[in-house]
Amino acid sequence: MKTDLNDILQKNGNFSKEELVFLLSLQGSDMQKLLDKALEVKLKYLDNKVRLRGLIEYSNKCRKNCLYCGLRSSNTSVKRYELSEDEVIECAKMAMDSHYGSIAIQSGERQDKEFVEKIEYLIKKVKQISNNKLGITLSLGEQSFETYKRWFDAGAHRYLLRIEASNKNLYYKIHPENELHSYENRISCIDNLLKTGYQTGTGVMIGLPFQTKEDLADDLLFFKAKNVAMVGMGPFIPHPDTPLWQYKDLIPDKRERMRLTLKMIAVLRLMMPQINMVSATANQTIDESGREKAVVCGANVIMPNLSPEENREEYSIYPDKACVHDKPDQCRNCLDIRMHTIDHEILYDDWGDSLAFTKTHPEQAGLK
Ligand code: SAM
Ligand code: SF4
């Protein structure tokens, strides 16, 4: 195939799989051309505003045993915790005091009645104490349709459930092959979230062992086919207490994983110009200015951590997580400065909804 980068970049994001692999393989000045084009498209279809989600890491108790994650149930070296109601409310108040328009509640996965009811209660409580000012994103894994609906009706309006790897073979290389980790169920959960009415997000880890550029191209096509409103993807970071650690020498080095992540974000921005895209904390963990690099090639959402400091170390998805000791006021100043240096601004006191969603669901655009 004779491929000309300039021709491909003129295609308004309608790329074939072959072209996607070509774009993901760019290096040096060609790669920079791709990243610059993605920034141009973001500024044209969105703006230079960065939306915030104050992250609350609700609990590290998890039923599942994903082969990459430090919170997996078989990892006995983790001290398990669950935040109290007061702690969650305290975090939500911190979000309001810091003028973050939204919070994101993330947790290990549980489906028991107590968990489902507690989350429902907390959503209602946050809505009540904030006078409906705080938007709520959830990232609480696979649940039944009824549970998704219950939490939506309680007031959560966005949900992030990464597919992790859209290739079924790869999925089962990074998850145990059993009922609790069913690829089909993951897909049907994403479909149920879309059906429930959430602004639905998905995503993948980048630089996994056994993952090819063809897999990543298929991931991008998967996001487009599902027509999701948000995507959160970031580099895979091997954790020593997980089974995938044994393959750490097979994966691209940090710099290459960062480059691949930036190319994935940039290409997706060209394909889906108005979706919300997160610059994952993992970016900053493998590259000191990784968060900014992702913003200048297409990402428009950042998730500053609001979790109580004493629990952050225990929410150890991967080692050496960035910003573990930052206080909210330090975090806000640091973010303001970092965003100004790249000619971006933080959008305060706003839910920061996905324009891709509000355009296709005008009836829900006035939720606020
Ligand atoms: N339990 C929920 C779930 O799995 O959807 C939400 C919490 S989970 C910790 C959030 C995300 O962390 C996952 O979707 C996964 O992509 C990411 N993650 C887990 N282990 C990781 C690792 N070693 N490197 C990078 N990201 C990781
Ligand atoms: Fe649990 Fe989510 Fe980690 Fe899997 S990725 S082990 S579901 S917290």
Side-chain angles (χ1 to χ4, degrees):
M1 180 181 65
K2 184 176 172 307
T3 9
D4 181 89
L5 176 57
N6 292 323
D7 289 349
I8 296 181
L9 292 181
Q10 294 310 316
K11 292 188 67 181
N12 289 330
N14 293 312
F15 305 128
S16 66
K17 180 168 172 184
E18 241 179 345
E19 287 165 342
L20 288 172
V21 172
F22 170 79
L23 291 171
L24 295 176
S25 308
L26 296 174
Q27 297 288 349
S29 59
D30 282 344
M31 166 176 148
Q32 194 53 48
K33 210 183 243 189
L34 164 69
L35 305 190
D36 292 346
K37 179 75 183 174
L39 176 62
E40 185 190 313
V41 166
K42 182 178 85 163
L43 296 177
K44 178 173 170 196
Y45 289 94
L46 293 173
D47 46 38
N48 71 340
K49 308 276 192 301
V50 176
R51 285 86 176 145
L52 297 182
R53 318 281 180 247
L55 176 63
I56 303 176
E57 295 158 332
Y58 173 68
S59 170
N60 63 1
K61 295 180 185 167
C62 187
R63 285 180 74 205
K64 289 176 84 172
N65 226 348
C66 306
L67 303 179
Y68 44 83
C69 178
L71 306 189
R72 63 197 308 270
S73 55
S74 295
N75 184 7
T76 50
S77 56
V78 180
K79 201 170 125 230
R80 305 283 167 172
Y81 74 87
E82 184 177 344
L83 298 186
S84 67
E85 174 186 340
D86 286 352
E87 286 171 319
V88 173
I89 298 308
E90 199 48 46
C91 294
K93 285 189 175 152
M94 254 188 310
M96 284 192 290
D97 292 346
S98 311
H99 299 272
Y100 298 171
S102 283
I103 57 166
I105 305 178
Q106 204 187 77
S107 174
E109 198 177 294
R110 281 170 55 189
Q111 290 86 9
D112 53 282
K113 191 164 169 274
E114 190 195 327
F115 180 79
V116 171
E117 284 174 357
K118 177 100 177 269
I119 295 292
E120 181 182 38
Y121 173 79
L122 289 171
I123 295 168
K124 287 184 179 163
K125 193 85 192 165
V126 168
K127 284 286 168 186
Q128 185 207 330
I129 61 133
S130 73
N131 206 8
N132 198 26
K133 286 242 164 56
L134 280 178
I136 303 181
T137 304
L138 301 178
S139 182
L140 305 171
E142 294 171 35
Q143 304 290 340
S144 67
F145 183 80
E146 290 66 35
T147 298
Y148 286 146
K149 176 90 174 65
R150 238 171 115 165
W151 292 343
F152 182 78
D153 291 342
H157 76 298
R158 293 184 292 243
Y159 203 109
L160 183 66
L161 183 71
R162 287 181 172 178
I163 182 66
E164 314 293 2
S166 65
N167 174 333
K168 189 170 170 179
N169 288 330
L170 180 57
Y171 190 88
Y172 284 122
K173 289 203 163 99
I174 62 168
H175 297 96
E177 199 161 348
N178 60 32
E179 228 172 73
L180 200 55
H181 301 82
S182 149
Y183 175 81
E184 279 74 23
N185 194 50
R186 195 88 179 163
I187 301 265
S188 94
C189 282
I190 293 171
D191 291 338
N192 282 340
L193 288 167
L194 287 161
K195 241 186 270 164
T196 310
Y198 284 100
Q199 287 177 47
T200 302
T202 189
V204 293
M205 282 172 287
I206 298 164
L208 287 162
F210 316 112
Q211 186 182 49
T212 63
K213 292 210 171 60
E214 284 73 14
D215 291 329
L216 290 170
D218 281 331
D219 291 336
L220 294 168
L221 293 168
F222 174 85
F223 306 151
K224 177 109 182 169
K226 290 286 172 201
N227 195 19
V228 287
M230 332 184 286
V231 168
M233 48 188 175
F236 164 63
I237 302 175
H239 190 303
D241 298 330
T242 64
L244 285 197
W245 178 254
Q246 64 187 299
Y247 303 115
K248 66 181 189 318
D249 297 329
L250 295 185
I251 66 172
D253 68 17
K254 275 187 193 175
R255 289 176 59 187
E256 182 52 23
R257 262 178 290 151
M258 190 68 221
R259 281 195 290 266
L260 251 185
T261 301
L262 298 178
K263 285 183 275 188
M264 285 287 282
I265 291 173
V267 176
L268 190 62
R269 180 54 73 202
L270 301 182
M271 295 168 74
M272 304 181 81
Q274 291 184 320
I275 61 168
N276 273 350
M277 237 192 292
V278 187
S279 173
T281 310
N283 291 330
Q284 208 181 344
T285 300
I286 65 165
D287 180 332
E288 212 274 315
S289 45
R291 195 153 59 173
E292 292 84 285
K293 286 182 182 170
V295 169
V296 285
C297 73
N300 67 330
V301 176
I302 284 183
M303 298 172 67
N305 201 334
L306 290 174
S307 311
E309 207 181 329
E310 60 273 26
N311 299 114
R312 290 189 196 179
E313 301 257 16
E314 303 299 341
Y315 200 82
S316 52
I317 307 171
Y318 47 73
D320 305 321
K321 222 166 64 181
C323 299
V324 163
H325 300 293
D326 288 4
K327 306 254 180 310
D329 50 336
Q330 283 173 326
C331 196
R332 187 179 156 164
N333 285 342
C334 163
L335 276 178
D336 269 330
I337 295 166
R338 280 173 179 258
M339 292 306 123
H340 274 124
T341 58
I342 51 167
D343 293 325
H344 277 67
E345 268 176 56
I346 304 273
L347 185 64
Y348 287 110
D349 293 315
D350 195 288
W351 284 7
D353 281 336
S354 153
L355 201 56
F357 184 86
T358 45
K359 278 206 159 165
T360 50
H361 297 73
E363 74 287 358
Q364 290 180 32
L367 273 173
K368 196 174 175 184

